[in-house]
Amino acid sequence: MSNTMRRLAIVGLIQGAALLAIYLASINKGWLSTQAPLLLALIYTSFALPAAWYLTEDIDGLPPRRRLVGVLSLGLILALLGACEGWAGADADGTALPDISTVACIVLGFVGVPLFAHAERSNGFGWRWNYAALFQSAWRNAMMLMVAFLLTGIMWGVLLAGSALMSSIGINIVRDLLMRPWFWIPVCTTTFACAMALTLARADTMIALRRFWLSMNQAFLVLMLLFSTMWAVALVFTGIDPLLKTRVAGFALLWFAALSVKFVNAAYQDGTHAPFSPWLRRPLSLAWLTIPVVTTVAGVAIYQRIAQYGWTGERVWSVFILIMATGYALGYSLSAFAPKRGWMWSIGQTNVVMALVLCAGLIALSSPIADARRVSVDSQVGRLLAGKTPVDKFDFRYLDEKSGIYGRKAFAELKAGVPGHPQAAAFTKAAEEYERKKNLWRTDSKAPPTDDELRANWTLLPEGTQPQPALVDTLLAQLRDQKLKNNKASACLEARNLCTLWLGDLDGDKTPELMVVIDQTWRQTAVIYRWQAEGAQLARVATIEELTEEWVKALRRGESKLVPNPWLDIEAGGQRVQIKPEN
């Protein structure tokens, strides 16, 4: 065993012991399970410190003392961000689950390691970076992580295969061992550490793999810029209205811009060698000028959604991604105006600047400085107070359950009444009605809800609909019937699931069908029934599981309509295909 593997294996064992201690203190409502800020701070630190240690191993020119200070500093920053997430994102019971801020911290750690490892004092004020060194370290670390995850997965594949082999003859000790946290947690961390050491010992192989991967990817840059050029020319004639009507324009354009940035970096690499033939380099530099047009139109699309519906957490992150994409696009475009400095010469400088912007933005968005939940709550409550969102259409559940401490604080203020606001009483009444419905569905209630309570809690659509009492009675009987298997609508009897009964003639027989829409926290489902008044029978027709939260909200707002389909379905080999015309 090499010294490097021995050192990293020890770090992996220590990490495994730390994670096991955290696990034991937080399971079964342990003391740590209700201390969300401390819990997430410890988890973030337990991952950040070993990862930063692995990723700084054998970096040229990094003194041991500076390495230690950098690793501890990164661990402290992520610990503070974890505590912020636990404080802001915990629910009313004090528990918190990882969300997008966790991903942000992972990206922050990955980008931050090479930045602090290669930072050098400039002759004047500030710091400077050697882009070639940053490129080498960042790609080395990326390859190390990918290979280490792969090897760890293979290790577990071997363990599971061996467990199944032994269990086949009645020896279950290996299977039982793999299920013990005191075994599988340190095995995972130590295996990963050893896998990182193995990749470090084969640095030449990693460099060869990197060059192979990037050389294969750079060819796609020509295709991407060809598409962007054709799109920009066509945009002059079509305008942006057709694009904005898709409602996914911002996502599509930012995705295209992100791929373009990836492929141009695959071609540029560390900037020491110019790719492509000389006759192709200049056209590609000029074609890149269409990418800022892409990000500009993406900004228009995102602004339109914000102007119409206000800020949400997703839109806050979208704007940050837009800022990053625009920075890359404009920075790289400078290369087109000074071709004598080399092909796409501004990539290196732009990447360093945008890496610093990325780190600053991730810290701000993952902390109270610019928490996306706080921005979203302020925007949505502001729209409610300004009358832009009707009280009966406002999503109190979002405030109470999906926006952390900021939403619960705003909910309490609305419930208490907004002094001097003409609709203060309406806010209080709506908040209390939401709480009544929520408490009805609490899992710790002493008795299950009665049929009358369920009827009062369900939303009936279209507005003013009064279904036959026999229909609702039959539905309740089916939902409570444990013999009926695979009935998704039975989730209406579970905790905190909001259900809507929607009546409409879906098959054209002039008799309305019943659609039960179940809005759970993580998914939205609809079950369609055919009602036969004679005999009071309710037959399940179909289950729809591809619904979105926005579709359900629009349905509740009354923004739905029946769209006939003149095309018949085609069935072959037991598979039924639905024709969806493009126009």
Side-chain angles (χ1 to χ4, degrees):
M1 179 183 292
S2 66
N3 291 333
T4 300
M5 180 169 290
R6 188 179 297 109
R7 289 196 305 270
L8 298 193
I10 292 173
V11 174
L13 282 172
I14 295 173
Q15 181 190 23
L19 290 175
L20 179 61
I22 295 171
Y23 173 80
L24 294 176
S26 58
I27 61 169
N28 298 326
K29 297 184 178 180
W31 68 272
L32 196 53
S33 63
T34 57
Q35 306 296 322
L38 179 59
L39 175 61
L40 290 189
L42 291 174
I43 292 176
Y44 281 28
T45 305
S46 298
F47 280 100
L49 290 178
W53 193 259
Y54 301 150
L55 297 179
T56 53
E57 186 76 18
D58 290 346
I59 287 185
D60 293 335
L62 180 61
R65 183 176 179 180
R66 181 176 170 183
R67 178 191 183 193
L68 180 61
V69 171
V71 169
L72 293 178
S73 300
L74 183 61
L76 177 61
I77 292 172
L78 293 185
L80 292 174
L81 293 179
C84 289
E85 175 59 28
W87 169 77
D91 59 22
D93 298 326
T95 59
L97 295 175
D99 67 350
I100 191 171
S101 67
T102 304
V103 178
C105 288
I106 294 173
V107 175
L108 174 63
F110 179 80
V111 176
V113 165
L115 283 176
F116 84 71
H118 294 288
E120 300 176 0
R121 280 283 187 182
S122 62
N123 295 330
F125 175 78
W127 299 82
R128 63 184 177 88
W129 285 265
N130 182 308
Y131 180 69
L134 281 174
F135 173 85
Q136 298 291 341
S137 293
W139 269 101
R140 185 204 71 154
N141 291 346
M143 298 298 295
M144 284 171 56
L145 288 171
M146 287 188 289
V147 173
F149 277 116
L150 176 62
L151 292 178
T152 303
I154 292 174
M155 174 67 175
W156 273 99
V158 172
L159 291 175
L160 292 174
S163 168
L165 183 66
M166 300 301 292
S167 297
S168 67
I169 56 175
I171 302 176
N172 297 321
I173 185 172
V174 179
R175 183 194 65 186
D176 296 340
L177 190 64
L178 296 181
M179 297 175 64
R180 305 292 182 183
W182 57 263
F183 178 81
W184 65 261
I185 292 178
V187 164
C188 282
T189 57
T190 307
T191 301
F192 188 83
C194 292
M196 294 290 278
L198 287 174
T199 58
L200 284 169
R202 291 161 176 79
D204 292 340
T205 303
M206 293 297 102
I207 293 174
L209 284 174
R210 183 200 75 202
R211 289 174 176 170
F212 169 77
W213 174 252
L214 294 180
S215 64
M216 293 297 101
N217 275 263
Q218 70 182 29
F220 293 108
L221 175 64
V222 179
L223 185 60
M224 294 294 291
L225 295 182
L226 178 62
F227 274 122
S228 65
T229 302
M230 292 189 299
W231 175 85
V233 173
L235 192 65
V236 175
F237 301 96
T238 64
I240 64 173
D241 288 341
L243 184 144
L244 297 178
K245 291 179 181 179
T246 64
R247 296 190 177 186
V248 293
F251 172 80
L253 295 177
L254 288 180
W255 180 242
F256 186 93
L259 285 177
S260 300
V261 170
K262 175 188 181 300
F263 292 134
V264 75
N265 276 276
Y268 183 77
Q269 299 191 29
D270 60 0
T272 56
H273 302 285
F276 306 114
S277 300
W279 63 269
L280 186 58
R281 293 171 195 159
R282 183 60 177 162
L284 289 178
S285 298
L286 294 174
W288 183 265
L289 295 176
T290 60
I291 302 302
V293 180
V294 172
T295 58
T296 300
V297 177
V300 173
I302 294 173
Y303 170 78
Q304 184 186 63
R305 300 294 289 176
I306 294 173
Q308 290 176 334
Y309 304 107
W311 289 94
T312 62
E314 292 79 5
R315 290 179 193 131
V316 172
W317 283 101
S318 296
V319 169
F320 176 63
I321 295 172
L322 173 66
I323 293 172
M324 293 298 301
T326 303
Y328 282 116
L330 293 177
Y332 295 176
S333 295
L334 296 177
S335 300
F337 302 103
K340 293 182 179 181
R341 298 182 62 176
W343 184 78
M344 299 301 287
W345 56 268
S346 61
I347 285 182
Q349 300 173 36
T350 301
N351 284 351
V352 173
V353 172
M354 296 310 299
L356 296 173
V357 173
L358 175 65
C359 291
L362 292 178
I363 291 174
L365 290 170
S366 301
S367 68
I369 298 174
D371 193 305
R373 287 165 297 207
R374 177 174 60 82
V375 175
S376 174
V377 168
D378 291 346
S379 173
Q380 296 303 320
V381 172
R383 290 175 61 84
L384 174 67
L385 297 178
K388 296 180 180 179
T389 302
V391 180
D392 59 338
K393 304 298 183 183
F394 188 74
D395 191 354
F396 285 95
R397 184 185 182 190
Y398 173 76
L399 292 185
D400 186 45
E401 298 184 6
K402 298 183 179 181
S403 51
I405 191 172
Y406 307 107
R408 291 195 301 276
K409 181 181 178 181
F411 178 84
E413 292 174 352
L414 290 173
K415 180 183 175 183
V418 182
H421 197 282
Q423 289 189 293
F427 296 156
T428 300
K429 181 179 179 181
E432 290 177 345
E433 176 63 15
Y434 162 78
E435 276 197 331
R436 184 193 70 79
K437 292 183 177 181
K438 184 186 76 170
N439 292 332
L440 175 66
W441 300 97
R442 289 183 60 88
T443 55
D444 56 355
S445 57
K446 296 181 179 180
T450 64
D451 289 355
D452 290 338
E453 289 173 330
L454 289 172
R455 289 190 183 93
N457 188 63
W458 286 344
T459 301
L460 304 179
L461 293 176
E463 191 171 346
T465 299
Q466 293 295 332
Q468 300 177 29
L471 186 153
V472 179
D473 291 340
T474 305
L475 175 63
L476 286 168
Q478 285 203 10
L479 297 182
R480 296 187 184 278
D481 190 350
Q482 300 295 325
K483 297 180 182 180
L484 297 178
K485 304 296 183 181
N486 301 321
N487 187 0
K488 301 291 185 181
S490 61
C492 287
L493 304 178
E494 298 176 2
R496 299 188 182 187
N497 295 332
L498 302 180
C499 292
T500 301
L501 306 188
W502 184 91
L503 288 172
D505 184 8
L506 298 177
D507 59 1
D509 63 353
K510 298 184 180 181
T511 300
E513 277 68 44
L514 170 66
M515 179 171 65
V516 180
V517 182
I518 310 99
D519 185 6
Q520 296 171 287
T521 303
W522 64 95
R523 66 177 179 181
Q524 293 75 34
T525 311
V527 181
I528 299 175
Y529 295 90
R530 178 177 287 114
W531 169 245
Q532 298 176 359
E534 296 181 5
Q537 295 182 356
L538 199 62
R540 191 165 77 238
V541 176
T543 300
I544 308 173
E545 300 191 53
E546 299 85 8
L547 300 180
T548 64
E549 187 175 3
E550 181 60 32
W551 188 90
V552 174
K553 288 182 179 179
L555 182 76
R556 287 184 178 148
R557 292 195 297 264
E559 300 174 2
S560 63
K561 61 180 179 179
L562 296 178
V563 181
N565 183 11
W567 296 87
L568 299 177
D569 296 345
I570 303 173
E571 183 175 350
Q575 180 181 2
R576 193 167 184 172
V577 176
Q578 184 181 22
I579 300 175
K580 298 180 180 180
E582 297 179 359
N583 298 319

